[in-house]
């Protein structure tokens, strides 16, 4: 287990640069890169590089060696080959909204940012597929195909700013993945530049092993995505959004199991607890009951002729599990407001405390009752405020520990509480991450859920793609999992 | 060590026995019901001294409140279907032959015809207990519906035809059995128009003249979907008989069958295409070519997991 370390927050005083000037051996690298990429898209100044030094987690920043912003697969290929020539690691980066440190550039790598590759290349309306570049933003993709009556189903809360390439790298989820599956189920093919610089397309129906499937969620350790063929879904002809409110989080958790077992699988089934409601409602004004201990936000999709019986069934399940009221959004505006409240929950946290640490873990959904009680008890014991807003239908918890980093000793308590929560989830038969990934944050926790033999197979798969360990080498696997090739998490990182 | 308990805790006596049978040397393979036995089999590389094993048989645990089932890989799909139906659940593996085993279907990795609605068969596998070439029992995945903890090994195992590891037991995602499910057919209907007319069909098949659609849901939902089918000549029918053989030719090729001679385009006149998945059922269909870098990755993967080539010798999935 990792030793306790302080959190490195994103403040000037905490920033420890490896070096803010171009290192001598970088000069030749930069020259080579500028031969293949417009020099305006090769960033070398300390100021520019600082913009790419961290992701959306509270992990310590680390200065990139050089940052490049390619605009084509050819340019990505050229950059990877140049990095190989100079023996430098590469770190792929999308929008930088990751929460596990996957894009944090340890050891001054060449950071390849895909945000300028942001075109929707081809939409096949008959087949409901689209080829897009990795920098296309998740919500922009749905907007681009909305006039065809189609949308892209995985919808992380960061969907306004996160990129499809980043979604592929983390196998991202979102509320609507309950019925439709996570990113992997919506990724038909990926064009990738492999760590050796070769370009290939990995498809869902290729003969042979499911290389596409193993690549999705590999957090930039197996190559760089340069195009993605996504599956689009037809917009449902009828949608009902229900808000069930409960005076006890225990009842709300029990209602989740009752709904799952009901014979009608909702498209989304989300929970917000009392602390979350109190933070969100004054700002979102979505009509969330401020005296509730928890609410469930439940969405049902279908054809108009069949949807009302499903609504009635789920309403009954909630009421018999102890819901005080079940409200059905009557207009599109009301529905949009409820989702706004859910998806902007994290932004409202600043009303309580300036800092937060967002966890991600999964448990069997039938164990939610005991796990939720555990989470609340752990936070109480460490005197930390916890907000719970999460994908209850998937058993995917997101306990949000809220604190003020200026309070003496609070970081140790946050760390301790966080680790206890993860252990409680594993003890309940769950696992470390449902959608954020492992990155740097949880790599040293992998032995909680994998034997040494299982870790060795994780290393094998990565080595097949990247025999020389050049692609995002310090991520996902714990230090020491592979003959000392992998480096430890730096001091100050939150693990 | 607390972590060692995970695979230990879930592995039953029968799975441990299976691991012991695999052992650490000699060529070995798992035999299911031999319903898709020739897939991936090469003329060269066959070994007379290969040991045939059977994976553990039986439904271990159905959890209706979790919508999952733990089942031995050697269990016939028909037996799994019955156990799930008892509690109102289904797992649409839909093998070509009802005798097929769960492990056989997953090792071949071909989705059933309901893929259009239910997704690829590999997306149903949440956890797999497998024995590797070194005889060690390992767990891939976890019995939860969402998991990005490390690389996605369950997806690698599905479709690997027992060449990377021998799967003894799996946890599968299930769903509720709909109140109604059935097939309808009509001649002379554009199958893409069918797809656009109904919300979430289970499958749409097409042989160049007739279109078949499978619908499932509540009675009201299915009635509404049937009413919205394009054209007047729809009638309820039995499940169509698929031609033997299958290839993922891709949606573009399926579309070309609208105007091109199938005997030239795909090399057969008896075929049935799945609209929306790019799969065509028919004999002796050409397999898509494998690009050199992908071939290389496949070979390296096999070599990494099974350097001595003892797992299902003479079979390669590409």
């Amino acid at each position: 287990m990792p030793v306790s370390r302080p959190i490195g927050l994103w403040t000037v005083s905490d920033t420890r640069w490896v070096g803010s000037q171009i290192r001598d051996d970088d000069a030749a690298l930069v020259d080579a890169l500028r031969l293949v990429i417009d020099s305006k898209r090769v960033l070398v100044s300390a100021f520019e590089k600082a913009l790419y030094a961290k992701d959306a987690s509270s992990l310590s920043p680390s200065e990139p060696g050089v940052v490049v912003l390619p605009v084509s697969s050819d340019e990505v290929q050229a950059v990877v080959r140049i990095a190989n020539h100079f023996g430098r690691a590469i770190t792929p980066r999308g929008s930088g909204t990751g929460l596990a440190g996957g894009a944090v550039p340890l050891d001054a790598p060449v950071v390849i940012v895909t945000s300028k590759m942001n075109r929707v290349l081809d939409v096949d309306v008959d087949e409901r597929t689209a080829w897009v570049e990795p920098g296309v933003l998740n919500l922009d993709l749905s907007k681009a195909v909305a006039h065809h009556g189609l949308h892209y189903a995985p919808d992380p809360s960061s969907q306004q700013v996160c990129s499809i390439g980043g979604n592929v790298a983390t196998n991202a989820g979102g509320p609507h993945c309950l019925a439709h599956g996570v990113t992997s189920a919506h990724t038909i093919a990926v064009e990738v530049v492999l760590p050796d610089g070769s370009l290939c397309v990995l498809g869902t129906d290729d003969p042979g092993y499911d290389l596409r499937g193993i690549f999705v969620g590999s957090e930039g350790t197996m190559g760089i995505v340069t195009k993605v063929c996504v599956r689009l879904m037809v917009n449902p002809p009828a949608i009902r959004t229900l808000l069930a409110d409960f005076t006890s989080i225990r009842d709300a958790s029990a209602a989740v199991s009752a709904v799952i077992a009901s014979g009608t699988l909702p498209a989304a089934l989300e929970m917000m607890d009392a602390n979350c409601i109190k933070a969100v409602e004054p700002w979102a004004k979505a009509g969330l009951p401020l005296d509730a201990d928890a609410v469930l936000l439940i969405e049902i999709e279908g054809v108009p002729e069949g949807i009302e019986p499903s609504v009635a069934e789920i309403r009954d399940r909630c009421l018999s599990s102890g819901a005080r009221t079940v409200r059905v959004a009557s207009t599109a505006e009301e529905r949009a407001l409820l989702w706004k409240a859910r998806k902007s929950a994290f932004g409202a946290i600043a009303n309580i405390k300036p800092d937060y640490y967002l966890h991600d873990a999964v448990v069997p959904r039938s164990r939610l009752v005991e796990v939720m009680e555990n989470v609340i008890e752990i936070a109480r014991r460490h005197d930390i405020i916890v907000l719970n807003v999460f994908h209850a239908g998937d058993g995917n918890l997101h306990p949000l520990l809220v604190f003020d980093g200026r309070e003496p000793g609070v970081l140790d308590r946050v760390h301790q509480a966080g680790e206890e929560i993860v252990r409680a989830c594993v003890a309940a038969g769950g696992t470390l991450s449902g959608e954020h990934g492992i990155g740097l944050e949880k790599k040293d926790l992998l032995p909680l859920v994998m034997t040494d033999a299982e870790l060795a197979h994780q290393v094998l798969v990565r080595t097949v793609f990247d025999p020389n360990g050049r692609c995002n080498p310090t991520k996902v696997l714990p230090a020491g999992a592979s003959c000392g090739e992998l480096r430890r998490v730096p001091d100050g990182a939150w693990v | 060590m607390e972590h060692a308990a995970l695979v230990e805790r879930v592995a039953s006596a029968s799975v441990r026995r299976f691991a012991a049978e695999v052992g650490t040397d000699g060529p070995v393979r798992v035999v299911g019901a031999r319903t898709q036995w020739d897939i991936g089999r090469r003329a060269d590389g066959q070994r007379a001294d290969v040991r045939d094993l059977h994976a553990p048989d039986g439904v271990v645990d159905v959890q209706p409140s979790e919508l999952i089932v733990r089942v031995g890989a050697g269990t016939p799909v028909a037996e799994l279907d019955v156990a799930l139906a008892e509690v109102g659940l289904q797992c649409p593996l839909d093998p070509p032959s009802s005798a097929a085993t769960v492990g056989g279907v997953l090792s071949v990795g071909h989705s059933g015809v309901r893929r259009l609605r239910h997704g690829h068969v590999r997306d149903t596998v949440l956890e797999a207990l497998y024995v590797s070439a070194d005889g060690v029992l390992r767990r891939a995945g976890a019995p939860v519906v969402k998991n990005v903890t490390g690389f996605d090994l369950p997806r690698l195992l599905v479709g690997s035809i027992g060449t990377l590891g021998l799967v003894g037991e799996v946890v599968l995602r299930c769903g509720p059995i709909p109140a109604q499910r059935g097939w309808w057919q009509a001649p002379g209907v554009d199958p893409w128009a069918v797809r656009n007319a109904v919300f979430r069909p289970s499958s749409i098949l097409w042989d160049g003249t007739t279109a078949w659609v499978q619908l499932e849901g509540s009675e009201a939902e299915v009635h509404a979907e049937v009413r919205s089918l394009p054209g007047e000549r729809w009638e309820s029918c039995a499940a169509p008989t698929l031609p033997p053989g299958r290839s993922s030719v891709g949606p573009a090729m399926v579309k070309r069958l609208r105007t091109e001679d199938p005997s030239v385009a795909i090399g057969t006149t008896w075929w049935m295409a799945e609209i929306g998945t790019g799969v065509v059922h028919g004999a002796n269909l050409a397999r898509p070519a494998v690009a050199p870098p992908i071939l290389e990755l496949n070979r390296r993967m096999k070599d990494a997991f099974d350097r001595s080539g003892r797992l299902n010798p003479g079979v390669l999935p590409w």
Side-chain angles (χ1 to χ4, degrees):
Chain A
M1 284 308 302
V3 289
S4 183
R5 295 191 188 94
I7 298 175
L9 292 169
W10 179 234
T11 61
V12 174
S13 61
D14 278 344
T15 309
R16 286 178 301 277
W17 295 119
V18 178
S20 54
Q21 302 301 314
I22 300 178
R23 304 186 318 199
D24 287 345
D25 53 337
D26 281 354
L29 167 70
V30 168
D31 285 347
L33 290 170
R34 284 180 166 159
L35 287 176
V36 296
I37 290 198
D38 183 344
S39 48
K40 289 201 285 290
R41 293 186 279 105
V42 179
L43 313 181
V44 295
S45 77
F47 173 73
E48 288 173 311
K49 289 196 286 189
L51 301 173
Y52 300 91
K54 68 185 300 289
D55 63 3
S57 68
S58 50
L59 288 150
S60 294
S62 175
E63 187 178 67
V66 54
V67 178
V68 293
L69 294 97
V71 294
S72 68
S73 306
D74 288 351
E75 286 191 353
V76 173
Q77 244 185 317
V79 172
V80 170
R81 286 180 172 150
I82 289 170
N84 280 343
H85 176 79
F86 285 90
R88 295 291 286 268
I90 57 171
T91 292
R93 181 184 177 97
S95 295
T97 58
L99 289 159
V104 173
L106 292 190
D107 299 340
V110 176
V111 174
I112 303 180
V113 184
T114 55
S115 57
K116 288 199 184 295
M117 299 170 70
N118 59 358
R119 293 173 300 167
V120 175
L121 300 170
D122 181 40
V123 179
D124 185 332
V125 177
D126 281 343
E127 295 302 333
R128 297 179 191 161
T129 59
W131 275 100
V132 305
E133 292 185 322
V136 169
L137 302 184
N138 177 295
L139 192 59
D140 286 355
L141 172 55
S142 283
K143 284 178 182 166
V145 297
H147 63 290
H148 297 302
L150 302 173
H151 69 282
Y152 179 65
D155 57 342
S157 293
S158 57
Q159 68 182 140
Q160 294 189 29
V161 285
C162 66
S163 69
I164 296 295
N167 291 173
V168 167
T170 54
N171 195 7
H176 286 85
C177 293
L178 174 59
H180 305 310
V182 294
T183 300
S184 183
H186 300 268
T187 306
I188 295 170
V190 283
E191 181 196 84
V192 303
V193 173
L194 295 173
D196 67 1
S198 59
L199 184 77
C200 63
V201 176
L202 310 174
T204 191
D205 285 309
D206 286 354
Y209 303 124
D210 184 20
L211 302 172
R212 172 214 62 96
I214 205 80
F215 191 96
V216 174
S218 63
E219 303 192 43
T221 64
M222 297 180 185
I224 299 198
V225 183
T226 49
K227 290 190 184 78
V228 186
C229 182
V230 295
R231 179 163 78 116
L232 301 171
M233 300 200 72
V234 70
N235 295 342
I239 302 175
R240 296 289 182 276
T241 306
L242 284 65
L243 183 76
D245 90 272
F246 295 84
T247 51
S248 116
I249 198 163
R250 190 182 178 87
D251 289 349
S253 303
V256 171
S257 287
V259 169
I260 292 296
S262 73
T264 296
L265 187 63
L269 173 47
E270 302 284 302
M271 190 189 292
M272 286 187 263
D273 72 358
N275 281 345
C276 179
I277 295 166
K278 285 181 191 120
V280 165
E281 178 57 21
W283 173 81
K285 298 186 173 57
L288 304 179
L290 286 163
D291 60 342
D293 202 35
V295 295
L296 294 180
L297 187 59
I298 308 168
E299 191 146 281
I300 304 162
E301 298 176 352
V303 293
E305 295 85 347
I307 204 164
E308 296 310 336
S310 301
V311 172
E313 169 72 28
I314 285 175
R315 180 196 276 125
D316 287 351
R317 295 268 174 163
C318 288
L319 291 172
S320 56
S321 302
R324 200 160 46 167
T325 61
V326 180
R327 180 181 122 201
V328 183
S330 52
T331 63
E333 290 72 27
E334 195 180 347
R335 170 176 179 256
L337 203 54
L338 288 171
W339 277 111
K340 183 181 169 197
R342 162 63 184 87
K343 291 197 178 181
S344 54
F346 301 131
I349 303 313
N351 295 332
I352 307 176
K353 297 267 182 179
D355 303 308
Y356 68 79
Y357 185 69
L358 174 60
H359 276 268
D360 168 46
V362 198
V363 295
R365 40 206 168 185
S366 55
R367 306 285 294 271
L368 269 181
V369 174
E370 63 178 272
V371 173
M372 289 307 298
E373 285 178 346
N374 245 334
V375 166
I376 290 166
E377 165 58 22
I378 289 167
R380 192 199 55 74
R381 196 157 11 92
H382 291 282
D383 192 23
I384 302 283
I385 298 174
V386 62
L387 280 72
N388 286 288
V389 45
F390 64 101
H391 315 306
D394 284 322
N396 188 184
L397 303 187
H398 287 319
L400 188 67
L401 305 179
V402 187
F403 60 97
D404 184 340
R406 292 166 299 192
E407 289 171 22
V410 71
L411 299 181
D412 287 342
R413 301 201 322 267
V414 167
H415 182 195
Q416 195 56 41
E419 190 172 311
E420 284 179 28
I421 286 171
V422 171
R423 284 174 181 275
C425 290
V426 171
T431 190
L432 301 180
S433 177
E435 53 186 21
H436 294 175
I438 299 300
L440 289 171
E441 181 202 27
K442 287 181 176 157
K443 62 182 205 161
D444 288 335
L445 295 176
L446 274 185
L448 277 182
V449 293
M450 290 183 193
T451 61
D452 290 348
E454 287 159 5
L455 278 170
H457 270 194
Q458 295 278 317
V459 173
L460 271 190
V461 169
R462 178 195 196 136
T463 310
V464 165
F465 279 84
D466 185 16
N468 301 319
R470 289 280 165 71
C471 226
N472 222 7
T474 50
K475 312 297 164 57
V476 184
L477 300 175
S482 171
C483 312
E485 275 174 31
L486 306 170
R487 302 277 300 271
R488 289 204 68 81
V489 179
D491 286 347
W494 170 268
V495 290
Chain B
M1 293 290 283
E2 58 194 309
H3 66 256
L6 275 168
V7 67
E8 294 295 314
R9 201 164 62 203
V10 293
S12 61
S14 56
V15 170
R16 287 162 211 260
R17 206 158 44 236
F18 175 66
E21 283 170 8
V22 173
T24 54
D25 18 60
V28 61
R29 65 188 179 188
V30 174
V31 181
R34 292 184 186 255
T35 60
Q36 303 185 79
W37 187 246
D38 292 329
I39 290 173
R41 191 161 301 281
R42 309 293 170 98
D44 55 332
Q46 300 298 319
R47 302 264 302 256
D49 57 340
V50 65
R51 282 185 295 130
D52 285 347
L53 302 181
H54 295 276
D57 174 351
V59 176
V60 180
D61 186 19
V62 184
Q63 297 180 41
S65 64
E66 204 61 57
L67 297 183
I68 64 173
V69 59
R70 180 177 290 278
V71 58
T75 311
V77 173
E79 189 181 321
L80 171 66
D81 287 345
V82 168
L84 290 175
E86 280 171 9
V87 291
L89 295 180
Q90 63 171 351
C91 180
L93 297 179
D94 298 345
S97 159
S98 61
T101 62
V102 170
V105 171
L106 297 176
S107 76
V108 168
H110 290 171
S111 303
V113 291
R114 284 191 283 168
R115 173 175 168 186
L116 189 62
R117 180 185 175 101
H118 295 284
H120 199 287
V121 65
R122 63 169 76 98
D123 294 337
T124 64
V125 181
L126 304 175
E127 178 187 286
L129 301 183
Y130 66 102
V131 186
S132 4
D134 58 6
V136 174
L137 180 66
R138 290 170 162 92
R139 181 178 87 139
V144 290
V145 292
K146 225 172 172 186
N147 187 358
V148 292
T149 308
F151 307 126
D152 203 346
L153 287 183
R155 279 183 173 74
L156 195 62
L157 291 170
V158 176
S160 67
I161 328 183
T163 60
L164 300 179
L166 303 176
V167 175
E169 189 172 285
V170 288
V171 175
L172 303 176
R173 175 204 294 269
C174 310
I177 290 188
Q180 203 175 4
R181 170 151 77 101
W183 285 92
W184 283 261
Q185 67 173 48
V189 175
D190 176 27
W192 285 272
V194 173
R195 192 175 183 202
N196 287 329
V198 291
F199 173 45
R200 203 166 283 158
S202 305
S203 30
I204 301 171
L205 300 177
W206 178 60
D207 68 357
T209 52
T210 300
W212 289 264
V213 60
Q214 186 177 198
L215 300 168
E216 59 189 288
S218 70
E219 219 164 286
E221 284 168 328
V222 172
H223 280 171
E225 297 272 61
V226 171
R227 274 199 306 276
S228 58
L229 288 168
E232 306 293 320
R233 299 160 69 190
W234 288 94
E235 52 188 48
S236 175
C237 65
T241 304
L242 296 171
R246 177 188 193 278
S247 181
S248 288
V249 300
M253 174 59 86
V254 172
K255 259 189 196 169
R256 280 169 55 188
L257 296 174
R258 284 205 275 210
T259 51
E260 289 182 24
D261 180 355
S263 60
V264 177
I266 53 172
T268 183
T269 51
W270 187 28
W271 56 274
M272 205 175 274
E274 292 181 20
I275 304 302
T277 69
V279 171
V280 171
H281 298 265
N284 303 317
L285 297 167
R287 281 161 63 86
V290 185
I294 296 179
L295 197 59
E296 172 66 16
L297 283 173
N298 272 289
R299 286 186 180 136
R300 289 213 304 250
M301 193 69 78
K302 170 67 179 173
D303 202 37
F305 277 80
D306 181 22
R307 192 167 295 278
S308 72
R310 68 180 292 248
L311 302 180
N312 208 0
V315 169
L316 294 171
W318 57 86

